[in-house]
Amino acid sequence: MTNASISTEHLDRFAAIVGDKYALRGEADLAPHLIENRGLYHGSSPLLLKPGSVAEVSAIMKLATETGTAIVPQTGNTGLVGGQTPREGKSDIILSLERMNRIRDVDPVANVLVVDGGAILAEVQKAAEEHGRLFPLSLGSEGSCRIGGNLSTNAGGTAVLAYGNMRQLCLGLEVVLPTGEIWDGLRRLKKDNTGYDLRDLFIGAEGTLGIITGAVLKLFPQPLGHQVAFAGLNSVEDALALFNLASSLCGASLTGFELMPRFGVEITARNIDGVRDPLETAYPWYVLIDISTSDSAETAERMMNALLEQGFEAGLVLDAAIASSVAQQKALWHMRESMSEAQKPEGGSIKHDVSVPVSKIPHFMAEAEEAVMAAMPGARICAFGHMGDGNIHYNISQPLGADKDAFIARWHEMNHIVHGLVLAHNGSISAEHGIGQLKRDELATIRPAIEIELMRRIKRAFDPANIMNPGKVVRLDP
Amino acid sequence: MTNASISTEHLDRFAAIVGDKYALRGEADLAPHLIENRGLYHGSSPLLLKPGSVAEVSAIMKLATETGTAIVPQTGNTGLVGGQTPREGKSDIILSLERMNRIRDVDPVANVLVVDGGAILAEVQKAAEEHGRLFPLSLGSEGSCRIGGNLSTNAGGTAVLAYGNMRQLCLGLEVVLPTGEIWDGLRRLKKDNTGYDLRDLFIGAEGTLGIITGAVLKLFPQPLGHQVAFAGLNSVEDALALFNLASSLCGASLTGFELMPRFGVEITARNIDGVRDPLETAYPWYVLIDISTSDSAETAERMMNALLEQGFEAGLVLDAAIASSVAQQKALWHMRESMSEAQKPEGGSIKHDVSVPVSKIPHFMAEAEEAVMAAMPGARICAFGHMGDGNIHYNISQPLGADKDAFIARWHEMNHIVHGLVLAHNGSISAEHGIGQLKRDELATIRPAIEIELMRRIKRAFDPANIMNPGKVVRLDP
């Protein structure tokens, strides 16, 4: 199917569903929807639809089924694997949920919030806060990413340790199926064992099984105590030992445990406005520790002090700074969250979003460093991430003075090296970003054939015409 | 298909896979596997197989596919909806996992434990404890139920509030598919966004999509502080208010919040050895509060004292007893866990395992009492359960002096009344026990047609020959 293959008559019929104002065909209107953040993909599309209701989404999918037209759902367009980008050289129609951005209901007594699929994450956090509650999902892109995308990629972020990823934060869904039928699964129940788990099948399916138009999300009490500290360490081994100490000491109150290398702190201080290294001396590794407690502010304070004290005594913590104000807490998190951005002025960056069992992180980091440096002398490794989840963003900045294009051309080669080590530890090549276009073919080679076959059967069962975000996650036509 | 329809030659071929010692055909050997705990179902089967390895399970399923023979997986046979019972008048072969009961690996550093599907829950708890860790799933039947069944029913139990149900406690699975193929999904990762969520599809599928032969389970640090209290209250409204107070105060340290009516405490004290009412005066309602803390014993003590103090001050708690020893803690939990058993000497009991949003529990309880008493004057309602999860075991003991058979004959009538009220609150007719045979047809009437249709499509995609625990959860032939 090429661009030319959708007739103007068909496009007009799609446009009529949402009205001309919300059916855009101009190059300038479409342009930002055809590319993604990293510039890895540039898709093509004849039409961008912005439906205003579930009924309109349903009508679009009915017509898509009738006419065999591929539809790509898009929310904040912040995905990192090309899952939301239309295919190159095809005529996928883009369905944007940006107008469907309402908070439908907040019930602080039941601790639930009901939203449209197009609601912006930061707005959801705000709505929870206004009702004295916490919605804990937190990501670098929270100002623009939207709930439908967060659910479709089973987003993780910085508070997974205590609250889980998006799958654990969702009680119910409303989904428009490829046929246009609407599945109303907007349940608000903590326990409901009534048949196959459709909810978790749509979560993480990256829009290939249906379009998430609404969701029931879990809220939590706002913690009374919150402590953030930044500590300098000698090694990743020591970071693991400190993490185990923190887990035992804090249990579910340990809300964040992030690992950062010296190079990451250095470039963040250099390249990001307002960020400075909070410690006087340089250390090879750092951790950011976040503790939240429900009963009192004192409990968090006591926990953090005990953790750092025991960490010092055990020789794990070399120096540490505890944030003494909310502004300082935000500044520490800002440093961590800007680390990917800080790589940009340093030239090209080859990225990995991997996980291994937490206890294997030191081995993996040592092996990966050796292999990467052997393959690419001068590479500047910026491996940081959610240590407590076993999830490392293993980024590699180009050697000083290297040619950016030549460096980026080695993307797959470096992926192959890093992913090989990840797989040797039974790890994951996509801890939180998903598969999209970027990792679809690689996934098919590393997973047992029966696993890919089961995914294909699910895809066919839900989307027999293969019109729902085709070509993402799993390829139907081998 | 009837008993007679499997030829002796076929049965011999199945028997040869496991060896004659583990292929039982005698009436006495089969009898306990044909019935379930409540006596609601009595199935038939020509053969009980006890494979000793995943390879044998795989060979059985291959032969089942070749011969079109239905297989019913069975673990502890403690299920409450007939999911593990062979169909009546059919010739389902029972596949018991009882010999596959090993703890394969315990890794206290990574906080994971790997087990066979036939491992007994209590043994798993013990293995965790021996390594200084906690496996938090806890049920009345933990001495005999097995992990494969716990996963297949997404078991809940008494610690869901803090740790989630079985779905939240599992990282990876090994599953033998209806075709005999083995899916090795035994991953130990906290984060892994690589395609459709097969794991959560098998969890809760009640053995209709495959046989769970192995699992990776999450372990937790053993809490340092543990407090259990029992409080007398005036009403369910007050119990809800106290629960909200406890949630705010204790956050994730609130590990249990169980509601019990006076009638339940009365019959448990009367009928269960060693149980006594810990309070001097009778109250209409009771809650059992369980708090666990990771940092110190003092934190739990402080939290419990603060909660009861504020509860007294607010007029919610009328009297309370805090367990002062581990033995007393166990005694309080024993009372709660024996409540269903305590109904047996009181005659017949019509059971419901329902959930509603937590904030709706008082309304639901009031409406249900009114409707049940109107339909059956003299009924003795024993509605208790996991208030914090919105999950009530709405049991009804027969009126004093009533005829048990006549009472039990009204099972569906009473179900209809109670479930109608549950559905009016968008609740669930099976919060934690599952669907099995008991609720299969009812589920199909109360859920949107598209939901049942999606389940059928999944069933067909995984089990096209319909040999994997057929007739449970969802009916393929309408």
Side-chain angles (χ1 to χ4, degrees), chain B residues 382-415:
Chain B
C382 188
F384 61 92
H386 320 298
M387 173 141 196
D389 310 318
N391 178 191
I392 300 293
H393 298 298
Y394 202 95
N395 294 354
I396 306 168
S397 277
Q398 66 179 55
L400 283 171
D403 175 72
K404 186 178 172 183
D405 290 341
F407 170 77
I408 290 291
R410 296 183 69 182
W411 187 289
H412 286 291
E413 179 198 342
M414 301 314 284
N415 279 186

mmCIF file of all heavy atoms in Angstrom, chain B residues 382-415:
data_model
loop_
_atom_site.group_PDB
_atom_site.id
_atom_site.type_symbol
_atom_site.label_atom_id
_atom_site.label_comp_id
_atom_site.label_asym_id
_atom_site.label_seq_id
_atom_site.Cartn_x
_atom_site.Cartn_y
_atom_site.Cartn_z
ATOM 1 N N CYS B 382 -23.443 -14.028 57.024
ATOM 2 C CA CYS B 382 -22.069 -14.057 57.531
ATOM 3 C C CYS B 382 -21.163 -13.436 56.461
ATOM 4 O O CYS B 382 -20.429 -14.121 55.772
ATOM 5 C CB CYS B 382 -21.668 -15.495 57.844
ATOM 6 S SG CYS B 382 -20.076 -15.611 58.680
ATOM 7 N N ALA B 383 -21.298 -12.119 56.319
ATOM 8 C CA ALA B 383 -20.550 -11.400 55.276
ATOM 9 C C ALA B 383 -19.281 -10.830 55.881
ATOM 10 O O ALA B 383 -19.339 -9.954 56.733
ATOM 11 C CB ALA B 383 -21.406 -10.287 54.688
ATOM 12 N N PHE B 384 -18.148 -11.364 55.454
ATOM 13 C CA PHE B 384 -16.862 -10.936 56.006
ATOM 14 C C PHE B 384 -15.864 -10.850 54.865
ATOM 15 O O PHE B 384 -16.137 -11.299 53.764
ATOM 16 C CB PHE B 384 -16.371 -11.944 57.056
ATOM 17 C CG PHE B 384 -16.154 -13.325 56.492
ATOM 18 C CD1 PHE B 384 -14.915 -13.711 55.998
ATOM 19 C CD2 PHE B 384 -17.197 -14.226 56.431
ATOM 20 C CE1 PHE B 384 -14.716 -14.978 55.471
ATOM 21 C CE2 PHE B 384 -17.013 -15.503 55.903
ATOM 22 C CZ PHE B 384 -15.775 -15.873 55.406
ATOM 23 N N GLY B 385 -14.704 -10.291 55.145
ATOM 24 C CA GLY B 385 -13.688 -10.346 54.103
ATOM 25 C C GLY B 385 -12.704 -9.211 54.118
ATOM 26 O O GLY B 385 -12.550 -8.493 55.105
ATOM 27 N N HIS B 386 -12.059 -9.092 52.984
ATOM 28 C CA HIS B 386 -10.929 -8.200 52.809
ATOM 29 C C HIS B 386 -11.447 -6.803 52.474
ATOM 30 O O HIS B 386 -11.471 -6.385 51.322
ATOM 31 C CB HIS B 386 -10.033 -8.728 51.698
ATOM 32 C CG HIS B 386 -9.878 -10.227 51.720
ATOM 33 N ND1 HIS B 386 -9.310 -10.889 52.783
ATOM 34 C CD2 HIS B 386 -10.238 -11.189 50.839
ATOM 35 C CE1 HIS B 386 -9.307 -12.193 52.537
ATOM 36 N NE2 HIS B 386 -9.876 -12.406 51.362
ATOM 37 N N MET B 387 -11.862 -6.071 53.499
ATOM 38 C CA MET B 387 -12.482 -4.765 53.287
ATOM 39 C C MET B 387 -11.585 -3.835 52.471
ATOM 40 O O MET B 387 -12.055 -3.104 51.612
ATOM 41 C CB MET B 387 -12.781 -4.121 54.635
ATOM 42 C CG MET B 387 -13.263 -2.696 54.505
ATOM 43 S SD MET B 387 -14.573 -2.352 55.676
ATOM 44 C CE MET B 387 -15.214 -0.837 54.967
ATOM 45 N N GLY B 388 -10.304 -3.869 52.755
ATOM 46 C CA GLY B 388 -9.378 -2.970 52.077
ATOM 47 C C GLY B 388 -9.295 -3.212 50.581
ATOM 48 O O GLY B 388 -8.895 -2.335 49.813
ATOM 49 N N ASP B 389 -9.665 -4.404 50.141
ATOM 50 C CA ASP B 389 -9.674 -4.705 48.706
ATOM 51 C C ASP B 389 -11.069 -4.579 48.104
ATOM 52 O O ASP B 389 -11.266 -4.866 46.923
ATOM 53 C CB ASP B 389 -9.205 -6.141 48.448
ATOM 54 C CG ASP B 389 -7.910 -6.471 49.153
ATOM 55 O OD1 ASP B 389 -7.015 -5.606 49.150
ATOM 56 O OD2 ASP B 389 -7.800 -7.580 49.704
ATOM 57 N N GLY B 390 -12.049 -4.215 48.919
ATOM 58 C CA GLY B 390 -13.422 -4.181 48.429
ATOM 59 C C GLY B 390 -14.013 -5.562 48.239
ATOM 60 O O GLY B 390 -15.035 -5.727 47.582
ATOM 61 N N ASN B 391 -13.383 -6.572 48.810
ATOM 62 C CA ASN B 391 -13.738 -7.977 48.546
ATOM 63 C C ASN B 391 -14.459 -8.597 49.739
ATOM 64 O O ASN B 391 -13.869 -8.793 50.797
ATOM 65 C CB ASN B 391 -12.449 -8.739 48.234
ATOM 66 C CG ASN B 391 -12.629 -10.226 47.977
ATOM 67 O OD1 ASN B 391 -11.649 -10.954 47.919
ATOM 68 N ND2 ASN B 391 -13.849 -10.716 47.828
ATOM 69 N N ILE B 392 -15.745 -8.882 49.583
ATOM 70 C CA ILE B 392 -16.545 -9.454 50.660
ATOM 71 C C ILE B 392 -16.964 -10.884 50.297
ATOM 72 O O ILE B 392 -17.466 -11.132 49.197
ATOM 73 C CB ILE B 392 -17.824 -8.602 50.886
ATOM 74 C CG1 ILE B 392 -17.460 -7.158 51.266
ATOM 75 C CG2 ILE B 392 -18.709 -9.246 51.962
ATOM 76 C CD1 ILE B 392 -16.780 -6.992 52.611
ATOM 77 N N HIS B 393 -16.717 -11.803 51.223
ATOM 78 C CA HIS B 393 -17.267 -13.148 51.072
ATOM 79 C C HIS B 393 -18.666 -13.108 51.694
ATOM 80 O O HIS B 393 -18.823 -13.272 52.895
ATOM 81 C CB HIS B 393 -16.344 -14.165 51.733
ATOM 82 C CG HIS B 393 -14.996 -14.193 51.087
ATOM 83 N ND1 HIS B 393 -14.832 -14.533 49.760
ATOM 84 C CD2 HIS B 393 -13.771 -13.863 51.535
ATOM 85 C CE1 HIS B 393 -13.545 -14.439 49.432
ATOM 86 N NE2 HIS B 393 -12.890 -14.015 50.489
ATOM 87 N N TYR B 394 -19.637 -12.861 50.823
ATOM 88 C CA TYR B 394 -20.996 -12.643 51.312
ATOM 89 C C TYR B 394 -21.686 -13.993 51.478
ATOM 90 O O TYR B 394 -22.435 -14.442 50.608
ATOM 91 C CB TYR B 394 -21.772 -11.734 50.342
ATOM 92 C CG TYR B 394 -22.933 -11.051 51.033
ATOM 93 C CD1 TYR B 394 -22.792 -9.776 51.564
ATOM 94 C CD2 TYR B 394 -24.140 -11.716 51.206
ATOM 95 C CE1 TYR B 394 -23.826 -9.159 52.232
ATOM 96 C CE2 TYR B 394 -25.188 -11.113 51.886
ATOM 97 C CZ TYR B 394 -25.026 -9.835 52.395
ATOM 98 O OH TYR B 394 -26.061 -9.236 53.067
ATOM 99 N N ASN B 395 -21.409 -14.630 52.612
ATOM 100 C CA ASN B 395 -21.961 -15.960 52.872
ATOM 101 C C ASN B 395 -23.276 -15.854 53.637
ATOM 102 O O ASN B 395 -23.456 -14.957 54.464
ATOM 103 C CB ASN B 395 -20.964 -16.797 53.673
ATOM 104 C CG ASN B 395 -19.706 -17.083 52.861
ATOM 105 O OD1 ASN B 395 -19.636 -16.748 51.688
ATOM 106 N ND2 ASN B 395 -18.731 -17.706 53.507
ATOM 107 N N ILE B 396 -24.171 -16.791 53.353
ATOM 108 C CA ILE B 396 -25.472 -16.810 54.020
ATOM 109 C C ILE B 396 -25.670 -18.189 54.645
ATOM 110 O O ILE B 396 -25.744 -19.189 53.921
ATOM 111 C CB ILE B 396 -26.616 -16.524 53.018
ATOM 112 C CG1 ILE B 396 -26.353 -15.211 52.270
ATOM 113 C CG2 ILE B 396 -27.959 -16.513 53.742
ATOM 114 C CD1 ILE B 396 -27.275 -14.993 51.074
ATOM 115 N N SER B 397 -25.726 -18.251 55.968
ATOM 116 C CA SER B 397 -26.027 -19.520 56.636
ATOM 117 C C SER B 397 -27.540 -19.713 56.677
ATOM 118 O O SER B 397 -28.306 -18.753 56.770
ATOM 119 C CB SER B 397 -25.466 -19.532 58.064
ATOM 120 O OG SER B 397 -24.102 -19.894 58.062
ATOM 121 N N GLN B 398 -27.938 -20.962 56.630
ATOM 122 C CA GLN B 398 -29.378 -21.257 56.573
ATOM 123 C C GLN B 398 -30.078 -20.776 57.840
ATOM 124 O O GLN B 398 -29.480 -20.719 58.920
ATOM 125 C CB GLN B 398 -29.588 -22.749 56.393
ATOM 126 C CG GLN B 398 -29.127 -23.597 57.580
ATOM 127 C CD GLN B 398 -29.379 -25.067 57.335
ATOM 128 O OE1 GLN B 398 -28.935 -25.640 56.343
ATOM 129 N NE2 GLN B 398 -30.117 -25.689 58.236
ATOM 130 N N PRO B 399 -31.360 -20.438 57.732
ATOM 131 C CA PRO B 399 -32.138 -20.072 58.924
ATOM 132 C C PRO B 399 -32.123 -21.238 59.920
ATOM 133 O O PRO B 399 -32.030 -22.398 59.504
ATOM 134 C CB PRO B 399 -33.563 -19.852 58.388
ATOM 135 C CG PRO B 399 -33.394 -19.540 56.935
ATOM 136 C CD PRO B 399 -32.186 -20.316 56.500
ATOM 137 N N LEU B 400 -32.195 -20.916 61.204
ATOM 138 C CA LEU B 400 -32.226 -21.964 62.233
ATOM 139 C C LEU B 400 -33.384 -22.905 61.954
ATOM 140 O O LEU B 400 -34.511 -22.469 61.700
ATOM 141 C CB LEU B 400 -32.388 -21.335 63.623
ATOM 142 C CG LEU B 400 -31.115 -20.708 64.207
ATOM 143 C CD1 LEU B 400 -31.442 -19.924 65.479
ATOM 144 C CD2 LEU B 400 -30.073 -21.793 64.497
ATOM 145 N N GLY B 401 -33.092 -24.197 61.967
ATOM 146 C CA GLY B 401 -34.147 -25.188 61.792
ATOM 147 C C GLY B 401 -34.567 -25.437 60.361
ATOM 148 O O GLY B 401 -35.434 -26.270 60.097
ATOM 149 N N ALA B 402 -33.962 -24.744 59.410
ATOM 150 C CA ALA B 402 -34.366 -24.937 58.010
ATOM 151 C C ALA B 402 -33.835 -26.272 57.471
ATOM 152 O O ALA B 402 -32.914 -26.868 58.036
ATOM 153 C CB ALA B 402 -33.826 -23.797 57.163
ATOM 154 N N ASP B 403 -34.429 -26.739 56.392
ATOM 155 C CA ASP B 403 -33.962 -27.962 55.733
ATOM 156 C C ASP B 403 -32.784 -27.607 54.831
ATOM 157 O O ASP B 403 -32.877 -26.713 53.987
ATOM 158 C CB ASP B 403 -35.106 -28.569 54.917
ATOM 159 C CG ASP B 403 -34.619 -29.771 54.121
ATOM 160 O OD1 ASP B 403 -34.355 -30.811 54.730
ATOM 161 O OD2 ASP B 403 -34.471 -29.618 52.877
ATOM 162 N N LYS B 404 -31.663 -28.304 55.014
ATOM 163 C CA LYS B 404 -30.442 -27.923 54.315
ATOM 164 C C LYS B 404 -30.591 -28.018 52.798
ATOM 165 O O LYS B 404 -30.189 -27.109 52.060
ATOM 166 C CB LYS B 404 -29.271 -28.794 54.792
ATOM 167 C CG LYS B 404 -27.940 -28.344 54.208
ATOM 168 C CD LYS B 404 -26.759 -29.151 54.709
ATOM 169 C CE LYS B 404 -25.506 -28.759 53.932
ATOM 170 N NZ LYS B 404 -24.335 -29.559 54.310
ATOM 171 N N ASP B 405 -31.178 -29.118 52.307
ATOM 172 C CA ASP B 405 -31.300 -29.297 50.863
ATOM 173 C C ASP B 405 -32.190 -28.227 50.235
ATOM 174 O O ASP B 405 -31.882 -27.680 49.182
ATOM 175 C CB ASP B 405 -31.823 -30.692 50.534
ATOM 176 C CG ASP B 405 -30.772 -31.758 50.833
ATOM 177 O OD1 ASP B 405 -29.574 -31.384 50.932
ATOM 178 O OD2 ASP B 405 -31.136 -32.939 50.986
ATOM 179 N N ALA B 406 -33.290 -27.952 50.927
ATOM 180 C CA ALA B 406 -34.214 -26.930 50.409
ATOM 181 C C ALA B 406 -33.511 -25.567 50.377
ATOM 182 O O ALA B 406 -33.698 -24.769 49.456
ATOM 183 C CB ALA B 406 -35.473 -26.863 51.278
ATOM 184 N N PHE B 407 -32.690 -25.342 51.400
ATOM 185 C CA PHE B 407 -31.939 -24.083 51.471
ATOM 186 C C PHE B 407 -30.940 -23.997 50.312
ATOM 187 O O PHE B 407 -30.912 -23.005 49.566
ATOM 188 C CB PHE B 407 -31.223 -24.007 52.830
ATOM 189 C CG PHE B 407 -30.236 -22.872 52.933
ATOM 190 C CD1 PHE B 407 -30.668 -21.562 53.137
ATOM 191 C CD2 PHE B 407 -28.870 -23.112 52.831
ATOM 192 C CE1 PHE B 407 -29.749 -20.523 53.231
ATOM 193 C CE2 PHE B 407 -27.948 -22.076 52.925
ATOM 194 C CZ PHE B 407 -28.389 -20.776 53.120
ATOM 195 N N ILE B 408 -30.132 -25.056 50.146
ATOM 196 C CA ILE B 408 -29.106 -25.047 49.093
ATOM 197 C C ILE B 408 -29.744 -24.946 47.699
ATOM 198 O O ILE B 408 -29.154 -24.366 46.775
ATOM 199 C CB ILE B 408 -28.206 -26.307 49.205
ATOM 200 C CG1 ILE B 408 -27.321 -26.227 50.462
ATOM 201 C CG2 ILE B 408 -27.329 -26.495 47.966
ATOM 202 C CD1 ILE B 408 -26.235 -25.163 50.415
ATOM 203 N N ALA B 409 -30.937 -25.454 47.555
ATOM 204 C CA ALA B 409 -31.648 -25.378 46.262
ATOM 205 C C ALA B 409 -31.899 -23.930 45.858
ATOM 206 O O ALA B 409 -32.144 -23.622 44.690
ATOM 207 C CB ALA B 409 -32.970 -26.146 46.343
ATOM 208 N N ARG B 410 -31.799 -23.017 46.824
ATOM 209 C CA ARG B 410 -32.033 -21.597 46.494
ATOM 210 C C ARG B 410 -30.719 -20.863 46.186
ATOM 211 O O ARG B 410 -30.677 -19.633 46.136
ATOM 212 C CB ARG B 410 -32.781 -20.929 47.656
ATOM 213 C CG ARG B 410 -34.184 -21.541 47.855
ATOM 214 C CD ARG B 410 -34.949 -20.831 48.960
ATOM 215 N NE ARG B 410 -35.321 -19.465 48.599
ATOM 216 C CZ ARG B 410 -35.958 -18.631 49.417
ATOM 217 N NH1 ARG B 410 -36.281 -19.029 50.653
ATOM 218 N NH2 ARG B 410 -36.264 -17.405 49.037
ATOM 219 N N TRP B 411 -29.626 -21.627 45.971
ATOM 220 C CA TRP B 411 -28.290 -21.056 45.696
ATOM 221 C C TRP B 411 -28.363 -20.001 44.588
ATOM 222 O O TRP B 411 -27.969 -18.839 44.769
ATOM 223 C CB TRP B 411 -27.315 -22.190 45.328
ATOM 224 C CG TRP B 411 -25.876 -21.756 45.189
ATOM 225 C CD1 TRP B 411 -25.356 -20.994 44.179
ATOM 226 C CD2 TRP B 411 -24.782 -22.061 46.068
ATOM 227 N NE1 TRP B 411 -23.995 -20.810 44.379
ATOM 228 C CE2 TRP B 411 -23.620 -21.453 45.531
ATOM 229 C CE3 TRP B 411 -24.655 -22.787 47.255
ATOM 230 C CZ2 TRP B 411 -22.356 -21.552 46.135
ATOM 231 C CZ3 TRP B 411 -23.405 -22.891 47.849
ATOM 232 C CH2 TRP B 411 -22.264 -22.272 47.296
ATOM 233 N N HIS B 412 -28.890 -20.408 43.428
ATOM 234 C CA HIS B 412 -28.874 -19.479 42.284
ATOM 235 C C HIS B 412 -29.785 -18.279 42.503
ATOM 236 O O HIS B 412 -29.445 -17.166 42.114
ATOM 237 C CB HIS B 412 -29.235 -20.214 40.995
ATOM 238 C CG HIS B 412 -28.114 -21.091 40.512
ATOM 239 N ND1 HIS B 412 -26.936 -20.559 40.023
ATOM 240 C CD2 HIS B 412 -27.966 -22.435 40.486
ATOM 241 C CE1 HIS B 412 -26.111 -21.546 39.705
ATOM 242 N NE2 HIS B 412 -26.710 -22.703 39.983
ATOM 243 N N GLU B 413 -30.898 -18.521 43.160
ATOM 244 C CA GLU B 413 -31.820 -17.418 43.457
ATOM 245 C C GLU B 413 -31.116 -16.365 44.320
ATOM 246 O O GLU B 413 -31.184 -15.154 44.038
ATOM 247 C CB GLU B 413 -33.050 -17.991 44.202
ATOM 248 C CG GLU B 413 -34.077 -16.935 44.580
ATOM 249 C CD GLU B 413 -35.032 -17.454 45.684
ATOM 250 O OE1 GLU B 413 -35.107 -18.699 45.897
ATOM 251 O OE2 GLU B 413 -35.682 -16.621 46.327
ATOM 252 N N MET B 414 -30.420 -16.813 45.360
ATOM 253 C CA MET B 414 -29.726 -15.870 46.240
ATOM 254 C C MET B 414 -28.551 -15.206 45.501
ATOM 255 O O MET B 414 -28.312 -14.004 45.654
ATOM 256 C CB MET B 414 -29.227 -16.569 47.513
ATOM 257 C CG MET B 414 -30.326 -17.224 48.357
ATOM 258 S SD MET B 414 -31.796 -16.194 48.631
ATOM 259 C CE MET B 414 -31.175 -15.052 49.866
ATOM 260 N N ASN B 415 -27.836 -16.000 44.694
ATOM 261 C CA ASN B 415 -26.764 -15.433 43.846
ATOM 262 C C ASN B 415 -27.311 -14.287 43.002
ATOM 263 O O ASN B 415 -26.698 -13.225 42.887
ATOM 264 C CB ASN B 415 -26.212 -16.483 42.882
ATOM 265 C CG ASN B 415 -25.194 -17.420 43.517
ATOM 266 O OD1 ASN B 415 -24.592 -18.239 42.853
ATOM 267 N ND2 ASN B 415 -24.996 -17.309 44.827
#
